[in-house]
Each structure stands twice: as structure tokens, then as C-alpha cells.
Amino acid sequence: MTGKLYGLGLGPGDPELLTLKAHRILTSCPVVAYPAPDTGPSFARQIAAPYLTAAQLEVPIIVPMRVERFPAQDIYTKAAETLSHHLDAGSDVAVLCEGDPFFYGSFMYLFERLADRYPTEIVPGVSSMMAAAAGLGRPLAARNDVLTVLPGPLSDQELAARIEASGAVAIIKLGRHFARIRALIESLGLTAQAGYAERVSLAEQKLTPLADVAEDTAPYFSMILIYKGDERWHPALAKKLGSGAA
Amino acid sequence: MTGKLYGLGLGPGDPELLTLKAHRILTSCPVVAYPAPDTGPSFARQIAAPYLTAAQLEVPIIVPMRVERFPAQDIYTKAAETLSHHLDAGSDVAVLCEGDPFFYGSFMYLFERLADRYPTEIVPGVSSMMAAAAGLGRPLAARNDVLTVLPGPLSDQELAARIEASGAVAIIKLGRHFARIRALIESLGLTAQAGYAERVSLAEQKLTPLADVAEDTAPYFSMILIYKGDERWHPALAKKLGSGAA
């Protein structure tokens, strides 16, 4: 009997936003794998840390940070080989995924290498996009809105056309594109309807109207939400900020 | 001291897909409110049922089913008044939400009536969109894909233009629009890249390539996902179906 492979969505960062199912599987798998940068801690491991025990074997998958985060595929080929040894030996393997495994996640690279050889289950997770809307206190999308999710590296022209054509927009992968995208949103007259969320659900989270962001860059774990409905910001947020965003 | 209002995302249906946080709050609130149809059970209550106790006061919010599910706003005005009595009396109130509260959810109607008067927290949940991708075993979106979420009531012309312009598409609120939308996808040559998910994560879930759906209508809790990447279907799904969808 081979082991079972799990892709575990861990949610946006707060360990309490794991699902009961992800928690059960995480605490019962003898092998736990997770992506990790070449320097510094693994965010996925940080989310799961309160539930890991010394009895579990940890397998970091070192993914060097690159600008667009499209890592070389041989990293996943080697990682799949490592995990296949554990699966062949009968051990269940949990692969930890920030947010949801199949929402712009890297788990697909392991999935496509292993799922035809081992029983595989993906446990969906809370996306940071949903957590950002919850934190900002404005709907992500409602009624018959078209919701468009846009990666920040797209061109100004493409971003502008799609933002103008949608009732609700989430712009992800901001990073070094942040200043350019903020200027674009301003040129479209939509700054007052845009919110910014960074490291949402963690103690150091930042949730603010886009107009109030002072910095010109944003970390990878950040996004801009635009909602064109007339709903106000979360009253607590508007009050705290003393902003005119309401 | 007034009570606190919670909008609790319960996930797509499997009670084990509640987050640890939603579970903690659900089991600690003395008052639990949820949307319910005028006949038949409340889906939100069904998801939470394993965790409810006789000590909790249940407040159903009766929302008559209508074709487009845009209920009259006076229902929410009355419900907000009922909940405000409990909040004024110091009781915390959990409002149960299928999926995620702010992803096309009705919690916004209570939020906009109560959040400026009471401390309010939204707990994000696993969306059925993420759960559908997990179940179908194909990415929802990846790399620099544009992901577009489209409500089924939109016109053929609008749906076609947006489907053609996106690398990844989720079509929600299918219902009586299902046959029309399936024909549209076929006319675009995208049937082989489309999956169908119904009541995902429940025992009676249906997960299948769109080509294999025999019915001409779909229930409210269903969606079509189109992913234009060349990833295959989940091997277990392709095998079970014996279909050519791989």
C-alpha cells in the first residue's frame, strides 16, 4: 500500500483559519512538505507551526525567490522524486499550501507529477482574496458583478481595459508593480473605491484604503481590491483611519 | 456592553471545511442566525448542524427563493432589527454564511445595516469555487492567468466575450441558464476544457467534465470552471469517468 498525497490549503496566514479537515490531516501525516525560500523562513510552515510535532518528518522544498515566481520545473521534479520515496514506503504526505492550493498556487507542479501514481486529495483553503475583503469590510463581489482577478505583471493597457470592464477586481502579485498599478487606478478615477491588504489575518496585517498607502512597493503577500458598488468601508476601518473613504 | 456581530463563512458544504476560527465562534455564540428558504431546510444551518447545541437560540431569516435571488431589502431590515435586540442585550450573534460571506453572499445586506452600530467581524470561508477546482483536480488559475467570475444571468454576448478573453473562468448562478451556457461554451470550442461541479464537498456532489453532464438544468449550488492551461483532469476522475477529458 502506498501512502496518500494531500495538498493542504492552510488559508491566508492566521493558523486559526485552517479548516478542521486540514488540521486533522496535517496532524496525522508522518511527512510534511512545504515550499521554502533559499533564505529565511517558509510562510507555509509558519502557518502550520502551532500544529507540527517533533515526530513528523519535514521536507522543505527550496524554491529560490525570483521576480515573477515562475521557478524552474526541475525543482518540482526533484521534490516529486523525494516525496515518491515516502509515498512508496506507505507514508501519507501533506504538502502545505498558503491560501488555497489551486488558486495561483505551486502545488499544481507536484500534483501533475504525482497524482497519476498515488491517491491524491486536495483540501481547499481560505484564499487571501476572501480574507482581504473580510478585513476591508467591503464585498469582494455581489449580485451579478463580474469579478476579475488580475496578476500585477500584466501591462497597463490590459489592466486598464479589464478594470474598467469589471464591477469588482482583485489585483494580485503586486510587488514591484505596485506604484505603476496605483497610478493606473488613480488615472481611472477609481482610487476611492480601492482597498489595499497586506499579510491579511496576521498580527502585522495592513488593511487600508489605497489612497492611504504611503509606500511605493508592496510585498508579495499583498493585493488591491476594487469594488464599484456603493457599499462603504467597514465602519471600524473608516473610523480608525479618519479617512474620507466612506 | 452590546454583543458582537459575526459573519461566519462556513465553506462549501462539508462541515469539516469550517475553519477552526468559525468553529470556535459558532460554538460560543448564544444566538445563531441563518438564511432559510420559505420551504425546506436552510443549507447554511445544515452545514453548521453538527456543532449546534440546544442551548443556542436559532433565528432563521426567511428569504423566499426567487429566480435571480435578489430578495426584497425589507427582509434584511426586519432581520437586522431582530438581531439588534439580541446585540443590545449583550448577546454575541453569529450569522451563518454558505461559502465565504463576501463572495456573492447575502451577509452584506445585514452588514450594511448593523456594522456601524455594533462591533462586527467577518470570518472568511472556503469558497465553493476553490472547492470545485480541488474536486475537479485542475487549477482554478495559475501563473499570470486572468481569472474571471461570471454570473450565469449575463447575456450570451457578454459571456462569450469574457470567456474568450480569460485564461480561467468560473461561471456561477447557473440554474435555468445552464443549457444556454453549455451551448455557448460548445460554440466557443471550449467544452473539453470545462468542468462541472455541483454540491461540491457534500456526499451527493457531482464532479465531471462538462461534456458528461446529461441534464439541461443545474441547481443553484453548481458552477462551471473553464481552465485553458494544458493540465489534465484529476487522474481518479478521468479514470472513474472513462472519458476522453484527459
Side-chain angles (χ1 to χ4, degrees):
Chain A
M1 281 282 286
T2 65
K4 185 168 178 180
L5 175 69
Y6 293 96
L8 288 192
L10 301 183
D14 177 355
E16 211 186 2
L17 289 177
L18 257 77
T19 63
L20 299 167
K21 184 170 184 175
H23 179 266
R24 170 176 60 81
I25 294 169
L26 173 64
T27 52
S28 67
C29 277
V31 180
V32 177
Y34 45 79
D38 37 6
T39 58
S42 157
F43 183 38
R45 189 193 183 282
Q46 283 185 311
I47 301 172
Y51 313 118
L52 296 175
T53 68
Q56 290 174 302
L57 178 70
E58 297 189 24
V59 181
I61 301 168
I62 306 296
V63 183
M65 293 293 284
R66 297 179 192 191
V67 174
E68 302 300 348
R69 288 185 49 123
F70 292 164
Q73 290 298 304
D74 59 355
I75 290 169
Y76 294 104
T77 301
K78 283 178 196 162
E81 200 183 316
T82 302
L83 299 186
S84 73
H85 296 318
H86 296 294
L87 292 162
D88 286 337
S91 298
D92 292 345
V93 174
V95 178
L96 309 186
C97 309
E98 306 133 358
D100 175 77
F102 268 1
F103 182 73
Y104 298 95
S106 61
F107 178 69
M108 59 183 275
Y109 303 122
L110 292 172
F111 181 85
E112 66 190 15
R113 285 166 171 79
L114 293 167
D116 56 350
R117 293 157 54 201
Y118 305 99
T120 301
E121 183 173 357
I122 298 158
V123 179
V126 174
S127 163
S128 56
M129 184 169 75
M130 277 66 178
L136 288 165
R138 296 187 90 207
L140 183 63
R143 306 182 185 95
N144 280 341
D145 286 334
V146 172
L147 168 65
T148 306
V149 183
L150 297 169
L154 300 182
S155 72
D156 273 8
Q157 190 181 0
E158 179 165 10
L159 288 171
R162 292 179 184 275
I163 291 170
E164 290 207 291
S166 301
V169 178
I171 309 174
I172 61 173
K173 306 188 186 193
L174 296 173
R176 66 192 176 85
H177 304 282
F178 176 74
R180 172 175 69 87
I181 291 167
R182 180 168 57 180
L184 181 71
I185 291 168
E186 178 67 21
S187 77
L188 296 172
L190 290 170
T191 300
Q193 291 163 292
Y196 173 80
E198 177 183 312
R199 296 203 158 266
V200 61
S201 83
L202 294 172
E204 65 270 29
Q205 72 178 354
K206 186 190 278 187
L207 293 164
T208 173
L210 181 60
D212 294 353
V213 179
E215 294 79 9
D216 275 335
T217 59
Y220 186 78
F221 292 104
S222 64
M223 70 177 64
I224 292 171
L225 298 185
I226 301 173
Y227 181 66
K228 298 184 185 174
D230 58 5
E231 278 74 15
R232 295 166 302 167
W233 299 95
H234 190 303
L237 187 68
K239 199 170 179 179
K240 188 178 69 180
L241 294 163
S243 81
Chain B
M1 282 282 287
T2 65
K4 185 168 178 179
L5 175 69
Y6 293 96
L8 288 192
L10 301 183
D14 177 354
E16 211 187 2
L17 289 177
L18 258 76
T19 62
L20 298 167
K21 184 171 184 175
H23 179 265
R24 170 176 60 80
I25 294 169
L26 173 64
T27 53
S28 67
C29 278
V31 180
V32 177
Y34 45 78
D38 37 7
T39 57
S42 158
F43 183 39
R45 189 193 182 282
Q46 283 184 312
I47 301 172
Y51 313 117
L52 296 175
T53 68
Q56 290 174 301
L57 178 70
E58 297 189 24
V59 181
I61 301 169
I62 307 296
V63 183
M65 292 294 282
R66 298 180 192 191
V67 174
E68 301 301 346
R69 290 186 44 124
F70 292 163
Q73 289 298 306
D74 60 355
I75 290 169
Y76 294 103
T77 300
K78 283 180 196 162
E81 199 183 317
T82 302
L83 298 186
S84 73
H85 296 319
H86 296 293
L87 292 162
D88 286 338
S91 299
D92 292 345
V93 174
V95 178
L96 310 186
C97 308
E98 307 134 357
D100 175 78
F102 268 1
F103 182 74
Y104 297 95
S106 61
F107 178 69
M108 59 183 275
Y109 303 122
L110 292 171
F111 181 84
E112 66 190 14
R113 286 166 171 78
L114 293 168
D116 55 349
R117 294 158 53 201
Y118 304 98
T120 302
E121 183 173 358
I122 299 158
V123 179
V126 174
S127 162
S128 56
M129 185 169 74
M130 276 67 176
L136 288 166
R138 296 187 91 208
L140 183 62
R143 307 182 186 94
N144 280 341
D145 286 336
V146 172
L147 168 65
T148 306
V149 183
L150 297 169
L154 300 182
S155 73
D156 273 8
Q157 191 181 0
E158 179 165 9
L159 288 171
R162 292 179 184 274
I163 291 169
E164 291 206 293
S166 301
V169 178
I171 309 174
I172 61 172
K173 306 190 185 192
L174 296 171
R176 65 192 176 86
H177 304 282
F178 176 74
R180 173 175 67 87
I181 291 167
R182 179 168 58 180
L184 181 71
I185 292 168
E186 177 68 21
S187 76
L188 296 172
L190 291 170
T191 300
Q193 290 163 292
Y196 173 79
E198 177 182 311
R199 296 202 158 267
V200 62
S201 83
L202 294 171
E204 65 269 29
Q205 73 178 354
K206 186 190 278 188
L207 293 164
T208 173
L210 181 60
D212 293 353
V213 179
E215 295 78 9
D216 275 335
T217 59
Y220 185 78
F221 292 104
S222 64
M223 71 177 64
I224 292 171
L225 298 185
I226 301 172
Y227 181 66
K228 299 183 185 173
D230 58 4
E231 278 75 17
R232 295 167 303 166
W233 299 94
H234 191 302
L237 188 69
K239 199 169 176 180
K240 188 178 70 182
L241 293 163
S243 82

